[in-house]
Amino acid sequence: MENYTFLLVLAIILLSTKVLGLASGKVNMPQVVGALLAGLILGPSVLNLVAEDSVITVLSEIGVIMLMFSAGLGTDLQELKKTGVASFVIAMAGVIVPLLSGAALYLIWFNGEGDPQHLLKAIFVGVILTATSVSITVETLLEMGKLQGKVGVTILGAAVIDDILGIVALTVVSSFTDPDVQILAVLLKIVLFFVFIAVVGFVVYKYFKHLNKAFNDKMHRRVAIYGLAFCFILSYCSETFFGVADITGAYFAGLLLCNLTGVRDYISQKITICAYMLFSPVFFASVGLKTDLSGMTVSLLVFALLLLAIAILSKVIGCALGAKMFKFTNHEALSVGIGMVSRGEVALIVAQKGAAFGLVPDSLFGPVILVVIVTTLITPILLKLVMGDKKKA
C-alpha cells in the first residue's frame, strides 16, 4: 500500500501558513512572517509534527524559483539600469563587511591552538555571513507594493550580484581544502554564464516579442506555460552547467521578459496564482522545518547571539554605507541594508558545503541555524517598520 502521508503534511502546511499569515496581517506584519513561524512551530524546534522530506524539498525549491521568476517579471528595467553600479558597490560592501566581522568573532571566541585550519574555519564563518536570501525580502516588498521602487530594484540587483560574489568567495576558501576545485575554472564559468544569458536571452526575447504582438488582445495559456518552462530551463542550466544558483537563473528569466507588457502581465498573473496556492507556502514553511536548536550549550548560545548581532549589523551598516555613496537618503539606505539581512536557505547551503569540506564543525550548525532563522524572520518585520509608513521607497 502506498504512503499518502505527504498529502496530510501538505494540508497541515497550507492551513497553518495561511492561518498564521492572516494573524500576522492582523498585527500589521507581512503575512510571510506567519508562514515562517508556521514552519518553525511545526518543525523539530517546537512541535516536531512535520519533517522535511523529498516532497517538501522539491516543492519548496520550485516555490523559491517561481518567486524569483515573478520578481524578475516585476522588475523595472530602467530603474535597474540606473541603480546597476550602486547595486554592485552595495553587494561588495555586503560581502566584505560580514566576511571580516564573522571571521574576527570566530578568531576571538574559539581557541585554535593545534588546529592548522583555524584561520580557514574563521574565514568560512565569514563566508556564511556574506550570503543573502532575497526571496523573503522579495515577498515582503511584493506584499507592500514596494518591489518596483528604487529601493526594491536596488536590493534585487545587489542580491543577485551578492550571489555571484558569494560563489567566488566559497570557491576560493574551499579550494584550500579541496585540490579538485579550480578557481579560474569557476570564474570562467561565471563569465560564460552571463554570455549564455545574453545569447539565449536575445533569442527568447525575440520569440516572446512575437507572441506579445500575435496575442496582444487575448493571451493564450500556452504563453504562460512557455514562460514557466523557460524559467525552469534557465534555472537548470545556471545550476548544472555554470555553478550559479538556480534562483539567479530564474530571476534573469523574468528579467528578460519584463519589458514585454502583455506577456509579462499574463505570465505574472498565472504564476502568482500557482505559487500562492501551493509552492510559496511550502517554501516559507520549509525554512522553519530545517531548524533544529536541540543540543545548544550556553557557550554556543552566547556565540550564536553575538554572531546574530554581527549578521544583522554588518549587512545593515555595510550595505547602507554603500547606498549612501550613491546619494540615497538615510531612509532609503537603511531600507536597502535591512533588505539584505535575510540569510535563508542560501546560508544553509553554504554551511552544508563547509561541513563537507570539514570547515564547519557539527557544534557550529546550531548557531548558524539560529542566525538563519532569526535573520529570515526579522527582515520582513524590520522592512515593514521602516518602509511601511512611506508612500514611496
Side-chain angles (χ1 to χ4, degrees):
M1 184 174 176
E2 293 186 33
N3 188 349
Y4 292 100
T5 307
F6 73 93
L7 295 175
L8 178 61
V9 168
L10 289 177
I12 292 171
I13 289 175
L14 292 177
L15 289 172
S16 59
T17 52
K18 175 45 66 179
V19 169
L20 288 179
L22 290 173
S24 295
K26 292 290 185 183
V27 293
N28 206 28
M29 284 291 113
Q31 291 196 26
V32 66
V33 174
L36 292 167
L37 282 172
L40 187 62
I41 293 169
L42 292 173
S45 292
V46 184
L47 298 178
N48 199 24
L49 287 177
V50 177
E52 189 177 31
D53 57 15
S54 57
V55 174
I56 293 175
T57 299
V58 170
L59 291 179
S60 64
E61 188 65 24
I62 294 173
V64 69
I65 286 172
M66 293 175 77
L67 182 61
M68 293 309 296
F69 183 44
S70 295
L73 288 170
T75 300
D76 185 334
L77 204 55
Q78 296 306 313
E79 193 71 55
L80 183 61
K81 288 177 181 176
K82 287 192 290 185
T83 60
V85 178
S87 292
F88 180 80
V89 173
I90 290 167
M92 285 291 292
V95 167
I96 294 171
V97 177
L99 195 157
L100 295 177
S101 303
L105 175 64
Y106 185 92
L107 290 172
I108 293 170
W109 193 262
F110 293 103
N111 181 5
E113 189 175 344
D115 184 359
Q117 289 191 322
H118 184 59
L119 179 59
L120 209 54
K121 288 177 180 177
I123 294 173
F124 202 88
V125 168
V127 172
I128 293 172
L129 294 193
T130 66
T132 296
S133 177
V134 74
S135 50
I136 306 299
T137 300
V138 165
E139 177 66 16
T140 306
L141 293 176
L142 277 170
E143 203 174 305
M144 293 166 60
K146 304 290 179 73
L147 184 61
Q148 294 186 18
K150 180 181 178 182
V151 169
V153 172
T154 301
I155 291 171
L156 268 174
V160 170
I161 297 167
D162 186 288
D163 238 3
I164 303 297
L165 294 175
I167 292 167
V168 174
L170 175 63
T171 305
V172 170
V173 176
S174 61
S175 67
F176 288 99
T177 62
D178 185 358
D180 293 332
V181 175
Q182 301 292 328
I183 298 174
L184 290 179
V186 171
L187 294 177
L188 178 61
K189 278 187 176 182
I190 291 172
V191 172
L192 290 176
F193 168 73
F194 287 105
V195 174
F196 172 76
I197 290 291
V199 174
V200 172
F202 177 78
V203 175
V204 171
Y205 178 82
K206 288 291 184 182
Y207 178 68
F208 276 94
K209 188 175 182 181
H210 164 71
L211 293 179
N212 199 47
K213 288 181 180 178
F215 303 133
N216 193 33
D217 294 330
K218 186 179 179 181
M219 287 289 166
H220 290 245
R221 280 176 291 185
R222 75 188 77 155
V223 176
I225 294 172
Y226 293 162
L228 185 57
F230 172 56
C231 165
F232 287 156
I233 290 170
L234 213 55
S235 298
Y236 171 79
C237 291
S238 299
E239 190 78 56
T240 306
F241 300 124
F242 302 101
V244 175
D246 52 5
I247 58 174
T248 302
Y251 175 70
F252 274 107
L255 199 63
L256 291 168
L257 304 178
C258 69
N259 266 357
L260 303 173
T261 308
V263 164
R264 177 197 67 203
D265 293 344
Y266 185 76
I267 295 177
S268 182
Q269 178 190 14
K270 298 299 182 184
I271 295 297
T272 299
I273 295 171
C274 188
Y276 174 82
M277 290 293 291
L278 176 61
F279 298 104
S280 291
V282 174
F283 162 66
F284 294 123
S286 72
V287 177
L289 295 177
K290 287 186 177 79
T291 306
D292 186 358
L293 301 178
S294 59
M296 185 89 75
T297 65
V298 174
S299 175
L300 284 175
L301 180 60
V302 175
F303 174 76
L305 293 174
L306 291 173
L307 191 66
L308 174 62
I310 285 175
I312 295 171
L313 293 175
S314 61
K315 281 286 187 181
V316 172
I317 295 171
C319 295
L321 288 176
K324 286 296 292 180
M325 291 172 60
F326 292 87
K327 299 182 179 178
F328 280 60
T329 65
N330 289 336
H331 178 261
E332 289 170 341
L334 179 60
S335 299
V336 169
I338 290 171
M340 298 288 285
V341 164
S342 177
R343 297 318 199 274
E345 76 290 346
V346 180
L348 289 174
I349 292 168
V350 174
Q352 287 165 358
K353 293 282 188 184
F357 292 124
L359 296 178
V360 179
D362 292 341
S363 59
L364 276 187
F365 263 94
V368 168
I369 288 173
L370 184 64
V371 168
V372 169
I373 197 66
V374 176
T375 56
T376 305
L377 280 170
I378 204 172
T379 299
I381 295 172
L382 292 177
L383 277 173
K384 181 78 174 181
L385 291 174
V386 173
M387 297 178 66
D389 59 340
K390 298 288 180 181
K391 297 293 183 186
K392 281 188 170 182

